[in-house]
Each structure stands twice: as C-alpha cells, then as structure tokens.
Amino acid sequence: MTTTTDPRTPSARPAPEPAPTQGTAPVNVQHAQRDLLRLATAGSVDDGKSTLIGRLLYDTKSVLADQLSAVERATAARGGGVGDGSGDGARAGAPDLALLTDGLRAEREQGITIDVAYRYFSTATRAYVLADTPGHVQYTRNMVTGASTAQLAIVLVDARKGVLEQTRRHATVTALLGVPHVVLAVNKMDLVDFDEARFTAIAHEFAAYAAGVGLGDVQAVPVSALDGDNVVDRSTRTPWYTGPTLLEHLEQVPVQRDVHAEAFRFPVQHVIRPRTAAHPDYRGYAGRVAAGVVRVGDEVTVQPSGRRSQVVGIDTFDGPLALAHAPQSVTIRLADDVDVSRGDLLAPAHETVTTGLDLTGTVCWLAERDSVLGARLLVRVGTRTVRALLREVDAILDVDTLTVRTVASLDTAHVLDAVDTAASVPRTLGLNAIGRVQLRLAEPVVLDDYARHRRTGGFLLVDPTDGTTVAAGMIGPTLLDALVPDVDGDDEGDWLAGAGI
C-alpha cells in the first residue's frame, strides 16, 4: 500500500564523467546501476532505533562534517553524552548519534521519535532510503506511513526486555503491509554481557510469532548500536554469532523484482497536449509504471472505462523507448483518441481487471477522531480520487492478542457528517485501530488485490471537509481476513465479491 510519497527523492543527475580507459564503468554509470533498498525501523520506545540508524550512517561515512559538528554541539548542550549506557544516546564524550534522526525539538527534548524521519545513504553496491518510525503506541500510525513502501523492516528489541506487546504490534503491522523482509535487531547486547542464550531465546520467540502472522524471511542480528557491534563492523564480543552484520544483510537481501512476471499497471498522472507548431496533435499520458512492462505495439485497456487501444510510442526526456518497465517515469502515446484523463489506469488488454463501486478492504485508522458509519469521504486509489460512503465496519483486529472481533452490521442508509459529534452516531474505529471496511463509491475504480498488486492495491480515505487523511487501506484479503473466526451460515460472500475476494 502507498500512503505517502517518498519526500525529497533527488531527480537531478550529476554531469557525466569521462569514461575510464581500462575496463571499469564510468562512476555515474556505476551509481545508476546500484540497487535501491527502501527500509523502515520499528520497535518499542527506548529500544535504540534512532541510535542504530545514527550508527549506521556514521559508520558508513554518510554523515557530512557540518551535520556531525551540529550533533556534537547538541550533545554538549545536553550534558556531553549519556555515559552510563542505559538508553539511547552516547558514551561520555562521544556524539549522541540519535540526534542525526531525531530532528524535531520535541523529539530531542523527550528522547523519543515522534514523526517519520527519512534518511538517505549509500554504499558501493546499494543506495538506501531509510524511514525511522516512532516506537510509542500512540504513533503506530506513523509506523504504517513509514513502512508502507518499505522492502525491509528492522524490528528492534531491547535485549534486557525481550519481545514486548509493541514488538508484536509492529510485527503484525509489518505483515499486514506485506513487507517481504524483516531483520530482528536484538539491541543493547552490551547490557546483557553479550549473552548468547539470551539472544537465542529472543530470536526463537520472535520467529515463532512472525511465522504465525506470515512473516517468512526473518534474520536475527545481535547488536549494540551505542558501540557499533555488528552494525557495520563485525564484533569481537560475539564470537558465537556467525551470521551477517546488519549492513552485510542489507547489502545482500534480494530486492530486485522480476518485472516481466508482474501484470502491467500504469496510473495516469497527467495528460500532455502542447499544441505547438512542432507538435500540433501530440497527446501523451504521463506517469510512472507501477508494475510490469509495456512495449510499443502492446494492446492496452483504459480502466475503469474498459476502452481498448494500442501503444504507439513511449517517450522520455532522453528520447523514445521501445520498452518501459517499473518504476520508470514515461509518457505513453496511444493509437486512438480515447478518453483518458488523470486517475485512469492502463492495463494489458488480455487481462481481466476488476473494477467496481463497492470496495472492501482493511484500513488502519490514522485520525484522532473516530470513524463514523455513513460518513462522506474521499477515496484515493492510485491517481484517482472519488467520493465514497463508509457503509460498514464488520471486523476489528486486536494486534496485541492477534484476534479479530466481528462487529454486527448497522443500518447506514442514512448519511452523516464525517465530523458529527452527536452521541447517537455509531462509531467503530479509533486512532491506530485496524479494521475491515466496506465503502460505496460514487464512481468505479480499479480493485486490485493488495496482496498481488502492492503499488496499485492500496488506498487512502480523506475527509473532504479539511483534506485530512483519516485512514490508509489495502484492497482485498489481508492478514485480518485470515484471522476472522469462521461463522456457520455466514452469507458475507455477496458483498465480499464486490472487492474481488
């Protein structure tokens, strides 16, 4: 699911450098060929997420001199380091590396992460976009935002405390969002004398829970973020650990997707019609290939209208292409003057694409105010925004116990204001709640299952009165559906069919 765009992703490319005379690729070519790994951190308060990220940036030489100087000044202003190793921060006289990511004043004052902090760094083989997400339970919604586009999640555990309820909560949300790879970083191993038995017990407990929620690829690593043990460099204090360091695992975890195995999806962002003397009849549809491959000559359909046409050109700033694949940004030209506008989606003509007015999916409620059955909302699916009615919430997930509570259906034929505060208004989902909803849309949209189409199967719920994003959701069956208790004689199949389940 996509709940927010990646901020400040650089688009400018450096000027080409002269090609070397002997056998190696130019520097800019090497840079362009590096894989990109998007990752997010999660864990309980004071488990050391910010310090771990700071250590990762510091030890990979990804901190600029002026940034480090600012951190050293801030550390001195706070007393010159923690010194006793009891939490995040620094040894006496050392810079507090947590300040590299805790950028808000409130975060530095409280020593916790509140907002999602994005950091960018790279090594010789890979580039990284890292989201440091909050650990406090009241900021679980921010973790959903940070992990929504992640390919790997780092779940931190304090070696002294072990697996907590918040650890299980983050593991559940990670599984719900379909993050394919997980690293369990057992932090503060220096405070338990690098006890192998303690690490093994925590790793086994987390692995058992992860298997229960569908997380298959889990790598446990014993670390001390404060001292750098097994973060970038291998520690001499864990001779019993033979696995990779954190960075070694990040360098080798598979991130390349077989774009040819995915169904083509192209959400249209903008229609280009210059109407100039050089291009009097040019009509192109600009956007980013969300999944799959498209070639000149391919037959496509425009969804949700279902109109058919043929790709006659794929244009870029650098010139035309014969083929485009995810995640390239291109402009596609079609053979026919069909009605295509922002919000439409191009898909293969030979594939059956589910569209409809009834959307059923799982949402994480992000707003401070509770949901209201019958509320008017806006639904954003890809680049398309339509009006909708929240008709039903029929199941709510308890992430602490991993159980689902079913909710009796209520009559929502009446229409209520999304901010109605009357006591008689039925309310179901509160802040950070996860539940299954049914929405009636004013216009049809593409209903891709999130499990198979992560980039087009997500959606947002927006309050039309102030533009606030109140929920982030996933279309189709998710972990929540697998946990719903079976009820004999259940006739839910009719409305579930509206979402392609």
Side-chain angles (χ1 to χ4, degrees), residues 21-105:
T21 57
Q22 301 190 2
T24 57
V27 174
N28 65 307
V29 173
Q30 294 174 354
H31 179 83
Q33 291 176 345
R34 286 186 299 179
D35 293 334
L36 173 65
L37 176 64
R38 301 177 186 274
L39 61 151
T41 61
S44 300
V45 175
D46 290 334
D47 278 351
K49 296 180 301 301
S50 297
T51 300
L52 178 67
I53 296 171
R55 172 62 64 183
L56 194 60
L57 296 173
Y58 182 79
D59 286 358
T60 56
K61 309 279 192 292
S62 301
V63 182
L64 299 177
D66 58 340
Q67 292 177 310
L68 185 58
S69 297
V71 167
E72 289 173 343
R73 290 194 300 271
T75 301
R78 298 178 61 187
V82 175
D84 61 359
S86 61
D88 278 359
R91 302 294 190 194
D96 186 350
L97 299 179
L99 300 182
L100 289 170
T101 53
D102 285 344
L104 298 180
R105 180 176 180 180

Side-chain angles (χ1 to χ4, degrees), residues 424-448:
S424 59
V425 173
R427 303 173 190 279
T428 48
L429 296 175
L431 177 63
N432 293 328
I434 296 173
R436 188 170 62 189
V437 301
Q438 182 187 11
L439 300 159
R440 170 56 59 87
L441 310 178
E443 303 172 34
V445 300
V446 173
L447 299 172
D448 277 339

